[in-house]
Amino acid sequence: MLGRFRYRDETFYGNVDGNKVIGKGNVEGKVFELSELNILPPAVPTKIICIGLNYHDHAIEINMPVPKEPILFLKPPSAIIGHMDKIVYPRASEQVDFEAELAVVIGKRCKNIKIGNAADVIAGYTCFNDVTARDLQRRDGQWTRAKSFDTFAPVGPFIAPAANIDPENLCIRSRVNGVTKQDSSTSNLIFEIPYLLEFISNIMTLEVGDIIATGTPPGVSSFHPGDVVEIDIEGIGILKNEVV
């Protein structure tokens, strides 16, 4: 696993090995205890590209037809927070929802990628929570305000290297205060990740660190201040955030 950390005034990447972190770059080879580090968002994207309605079981749940091509929207990088950071419930909304998602982290600047070459540009995978002010989404008729509040893009805790993960067959779950709310598999994705890479990169250049959030399974519901939300993806880890 690859993480991004802060120790005192130093920010660095490191390989996570159990409770140890082996530093890279400016702290190359130095060994830290995980407990002494602040865990930062594992990527620093120029953009977060999200996919709407991308699970067959979610389409069935909400009685919507399967889309013919991916539905894209963007979240700003200013919305990003990391593992154990706080999600701030905005005063403008009365219904804020969580959405568990598998996220792709781009490892190489790319444009016009073909499906067969998609694996070449993926650094790895992480957990993502597409927090949404649902009432504002319905009111506005488009999604920018509802998806873009500060703290509405929790991501992490670490990046699982692409070589170690089969992204098409992972259990994906969310929990609120320990109670399971979503429980599905990425085998239910409508548009698989290589196709998404081709589709998106034919529209926009993808930069190193950019995040593609691949959609959420059924069971989306709301949370409230004081709740603790967990996104749990097999082989990747658990992203945990408290709502304040």
Side-chain angles (χ1 to χ4, degrees):
M1 294 285 188
L2 178 68
R4 184 167 157 264
F5 305 94
R6 181 181 295 116
Y7 180 71
R8 297 176 180 170
D9 294 328
E10 194 110 52
T11 297
F12 61 94
Y13 286 91
N15 291 316
V16 182
D17 183 5
N19 293 321
K20 305 287 186 182
V21 174
I22 304 167
K24 298 170 67 70
N26 52 332
V27 292
E28 188 72 36
K30 186 173 180 179
V31 179
F32 300 86
E33 294 290 334
L34 183 58
S35 59
E36 67 181 335
L37 303 176
N38 291 327
I39 300 173
L40 302 177
V44 185
T46 68
K47 52 192 170 291
I48 306 164
I49 306 107
C50 301
I51 314 300
L53 195 59
N54 196 32
Y55 277 76
H56 287 284
D57 45 0
H58 186 38
I60 292 168
E61 176 192 42
I62 62 176
N63 196 30
M64 291 283 288
V66 171
K68 294 182 179 180
E69 58 183 11
I71 301 167
L72 304 186
F73 61 93
L74 298 175
K75 279 181 176 265
S78 55
I80 284 182
I81 58 173
H83 176 65
M84 300 301 291
D85 289 339
K86 310 293 188 185
I87 300 170
V88 178
Y89 201 109
R91 294 178 180 175
S93 177
E94 296 181 353
Q95 183 187 350
V96 181
D97 293 355
F98 57 86
E99 298 184 14
E101 308 206 5
L102 172 67
V104 180
V105 181
I106 299 299
K108 185 185 297 184
R109 190 175 193 266
C110 58
K111 174 73 175 172
N112 297 323
I113 291 295
K114 300 300 183 185
I115 286 176
N117 298 326
D120 297 340
V121 303
I122 297 173
Y125 302 92
T126 191
C127 305
F128 189 84
N129 186 352
D130 177 19
V131 181
T132 305
R134 195 70 67 196
D135 53 345
L136 301 185
Q137 184 181 24
R138 289 191 294 263
R139 186 188 309 169
D140 291 350
Q142 54 84 28
W143 300 1
T144 302
R145 178 167 65 142
K147 299 281 188 177
S148 298
F149 285 92
D150 289 352
T151 75
F152 269 29
V155 61
F158 311 123
I159 297 171
N164 299 342
I165 297 294
D166 174 9
E168 314 300 346
N169 189 29
L170 301 173
C171 294
I172 178 170
R173 300 181 177 92
S174 64
R175 291 183 291 271
V176 177
N177 303 327
V179 177
T180 298
K181 299 293 185 177
Q182 294 175 279
D183 188 352
S184 187
S185 169
T186 58
S187 63
N188 288 313
L189 284 168
I190 296 168
F191 301 106
E192 295 182 347
I193 287 166
Y195 179 83
L196 292 176
L197 263 292
E198 180 177 271
F199 185 86
I200 294 167
S201 70
N202 274 270
I203 300 166
M204 64 189 82
T205 298
L206 296 171
E207 305 285 352
V208 174
D210 281 354
I211 291 171
I212 300 172
T214 58
T216 196
V220 170
S221 58
S222 301
F223 57 61
H224 304 90
D227 289 343
V228 174
V229 183
E230 294 175 297
I231 310 301
D232 184 349
I233 303 180
E234 178 186 4
I236 296 176
I238 300 173
L239 169 65
K240 185 174 182 178
N241 301 94
E242 182 183 358
V243 185
V244 297

